[in-house]
Amino acid sequence: MRERLGTLLGGVAAFLLVFVLVGPKSELEEPISLPTSGDSGEFGFAGLVRWLEEGQLPTVSWRRSYDHLHLDSTLPATGNLLVTSLPHRLRAKPAELEQLVHWLEQGNSALVLAAMSDWPEWARRSDDPTVFKFINALGYTLAPVGDPQAEEGAGSGSGAEAPPEAEPESRPLLLTPEGGHPLTAGVDRLSAHWLDSEGRVWRLAGNGSRRSGLVLLRDAEDGAPALWQLRVGSGRLWLSRHADLFGNRSLGEADNARLAANLIGAALGPGGRVLFDDRHQGLAALEDAEAFFADPRLHHTLGFLLLLWLVYLLGHSNRLGRLRSRELPVGLADEIRAFARFYARRVTPAGIGRRLLEQFHNEVRAARRLPTNGQPVWALLEADPRIDRRALAATRRLAARAEAGGRLPLTRLANHIHRLRESLR
C-alpha cells in the first residue's frame, strides 16, 4: 500500500511539473484589443472581416511567415492583398521580408497600417516599436520632417521610433483626399486619431530604383501626408501613418469604409483573397514547426527529461525504488525448465536436427526388425509406396544441411518428419 501511494504521489508531481513547463502561461497584463482578424475590440479587424464576408469576398487569417506566401497552393499567384499593422509583436526576419518583396513584385498588394502618429495601446506594448526597418526592406526610406537626428537614424535603417512613455490624450483628426485619384472616389473625408506628443509630418522617399510614393490622403489642418501609394515591381503597397484607420472603432466613421472598399477592389484580382497578418501580432499557426521548435519551453522540457534519464541510468539500480523480491519455492518443473534452457543455449540447431533424424531412422529400423544404430534408411523409404515423396525429398535436403553443420530450420524439419511418420502408419 505504501509503495502504491508513493507511485501515485510521484505521478501527480510529474504531471504538475510537465504542466508548469509546457502548459499555457497566464497573461500578466490585461488583455488588450489587437489588430487581428478575429479581434472584436476597438482596434481589431473583426468588423472589416465580417463586412467583406457579407460581400462574398474571401478573407484569410494568415498565421504563417511571409516565406509561405509562395508555398500556399490555395492562393493565386497574383491579385491578393495583405493587411498588416506596424509595429509587429513578433518581428519579421530579414529573410521573410525579402520573400514579401518578391511576392509583391509578382503582382500582389499590401496595406501597411503603421502607428507613426496615433500609437494605440497595442502598439505601445509591442516588442518591436520600429517601423523604419520594415519600410526600408520594401525599398523606401521614411523619416520625420524637421528632426535631423531622427531623419539620419531612419534613413540608415537603424533608428527606432519609440512609443510615448506616457499616455497622452488621443485627439480626432480629419483626412482629406489629394487630387482626384480613382482610389479616393466617393471619399470626402476620413476620420483618424493622433497623439499630440507625436510628429505629424513624415517624408517618404524611394531607395535606388524605387520611385517616391504618391500621396493619396493629407491632414485637413496642415496638409501633412497621411497615406501613400507605392510601387513594388508589378504590385502596389499602401502605407498609412495611422494604424487605426479601418479597425472596429474607425471603420464606420466618416468615409473610412468607402476608402477600404476602393483599396480592396483595386488590389484583388481573379480569385484573390484578403490576408490579415495575424502571425506577426502573436497568432501563429499551431502546425508551424519553426515556432514549435523555437519555443524555449520545449528545450527546457527535453533537457529535464534527459537529466532524469541520466539519473535513472546512473542510479544504484535500474529502478527508481528498491527492489523487493519474494522467495518462491523451486519445484521439479522449474529444475527441468532450467536444465532445458541450459542445454538449449549450448546445442546447435544442426545437432538437434541430426538427433531428430537419428530417432526417426531408428523407428523405421525397429519397425523392420533391423539394428537400431541410427544409420539412414533412405533406400527403404524410397521403395515404400506409402511414403510422401515431397516430404521425403525435403527431409533429405534438410538432412544434408544438418550434416554440413549449416543453418537449419528445426520447425520445418520436424514437420516433414511428422508427415513421413503419418504416411508410414
Side-chain angles (χ1 to χ4, degrees), residues 255-277:
D255 296 325
N256 294 33
R258 168 56 62 184
L259 179 62
N262 293 346
L263 295 177
I264 295 173
L268 294 185
R273 300 187 178 188
V274 181
L275 289 74
F276 291 88
D277 186 9

Side-chain angles (χ1 to χ4, degrees), residues 216-235:
L216 298 180
L217 295 177
R218 293 184 180 273
D219 291 353
E221 295 182 6
D222 56 11
L227 178 67
W228 294 268
Q229 176 178 268
L230 315 174
R231 299 297 303 186
V232 184
S234 299

Side-chain angles (χ1 to χ4, degrees), residues 194-225:
W194 74 288
L195 299 178
D196 53 8
S197 64
E198 295 298 301
R200 291 171 54 179
V201 182
W202 294 80
R203 184 182 63 188
L204 187 69
N207 299 333
S209 60
R210 302 288 191 194
R211 298 181 180 179
S212 300
L214 175 65
V215 178
L216 298 180
L217 295 177
R218 293 184 180 273
D219 291 353
E221 295 182 6
D222 56 11

